[in-house]
Amino acid sequence: MSDADLLVFLEETFGGLNETDFLTGPGFSEQDLDIDPVFAKPWGDVLQDAMTDLGIPDTGLLRDWAIETLQRRPGVQSLMAVYGVAICEAADSSGFVIGVAAIDLRPGEETIAGLYTGCQLGVCDAWRRRGIGSHLVKERFLMDGALPTWSLDSPAYSPGGRAAHLSGYNLLHGELTRLRQPDTDCRFSL
């Protein structure tokens, strides 16, 4: 997507949202929001649910799925320089997209480092605290123009999920701010 198209998309889907709107979805209020540690799921559960949805029968095939996904590279956003992962659409073998995945890019280590599928956001324990969750939130919003939690009766997050979503909001806000700036010539003379 070009910067001009991305600007239009973000203005239409994100431009009027504050942090609360981003968490709840348009038309809801902060009172509708449910933040509770009970919504946190262990990484193994998030991964297993996604494997079922993706049609991956066992963990031995995760690397194959990751490599195939990287080769197709649908919607890939490489974070290699900082994180060593690529954010890609998470799709089953028929091409049905269920969300986004962070894939470890180290040769021979290609595996899933994080996922945002359905309403579940999770990052592998070894990859936590690197900002991957916030990038998954950003890319999921860019893919769908909304968050999956907006379709819940009561938008719900664990405290960590809330933090990752707010960090993703900040990434989107920064992107929108950058796109709204007119091109400037950074050269100067003495």
Side-chain angles (χ1 to χ4, degrees):
M1 180 182 305
S2 72
D3 279 357
D5 291 337
L6 182 57
L7 176 60
V8 169
F9 174 80
L10 286 174
E11 289 285 7
E12 291 174 357
T13 61
F14 178 80
L17 301 177
N18 61 33
E19 289 180 342
T20 299
D21 294 336
F22 187 71
L23 292 174
T24 63
F28 289 92
S29 70
E30 193 166 2
Q31 290 75 30
D32 297 313
L33 196 56
D34 194 358
I35 309 295
D36 194 313
V38 73
F39 298 118
K41 287 183 84 172
W43 169 246
D45 292 352
V46 173
L47 181 61
Q48 189 59 54
D49 289 349
M51 286 174 50
T52 299
D53 293 342
L54 292 167
I56 302 171
D58 63 67
T59 55
L61 298 175
L62 277 175
R63 185 169 182 268
D64 294 341
W65 178 86
I67 290 170
E68 289 171 18
T69 298
L70 288 170
Q71 289 170 346
R72 285 192 311 270
R73 301 180 70 84
V76 70
Q77 171 63 44
S78 179
L79 303 172
M80 182 64 173
V82 179
Y83 304 105
V85 300
I87 308 290
C88 304
E89 291 178 343
D92 66 16
S93 59
S94 71
F96 181 73
V97 177
I98 65 165
V100 291
I103 299 176
D104 184 342
L105 292 172
R106 295 175 296 173
E109 299 293 326
E110 298 88 353
T111 191
I112 299 173
L115 291 160
Y116 195 168
T117 57
C119 290
Q120 297 185 109
L121 171 65
V123 176
C124 174
D125 296 341
W127 284 93
R128 288 191 182 192
R129 307 201 58 78
R130 298 183 193 196
I132 293 171
S134 57
H135 283 279
L136 287 166
V137 170
K138 174 188 170 196
E139 293 303 319
R140 182 69 188 262
F141 185 86
L142 290 174
M143 184 175 76
D144 295 337
L147 294 176
T149 50
W150 293 2
S151 63
L152 300 174
D153 290 337
S154 181
Y157 303 89
S158 68
R162 177 185 181 273
H165 280 79
L166 290 177
S167 186
Y169 171 88
N170 289 330
L171 289 173
L172 287 161
H173 189 270
E175 186 74 1
L176 182 56
T177 300
R178 179 189 70 81
L179 293 168
R180 285 177 172 163
Q181 301 297 316
D183 288 335
T184 57
D185 189 347
C186 295
R187 292 176 284 165
F188 64 92
S189 62
L190 295 174

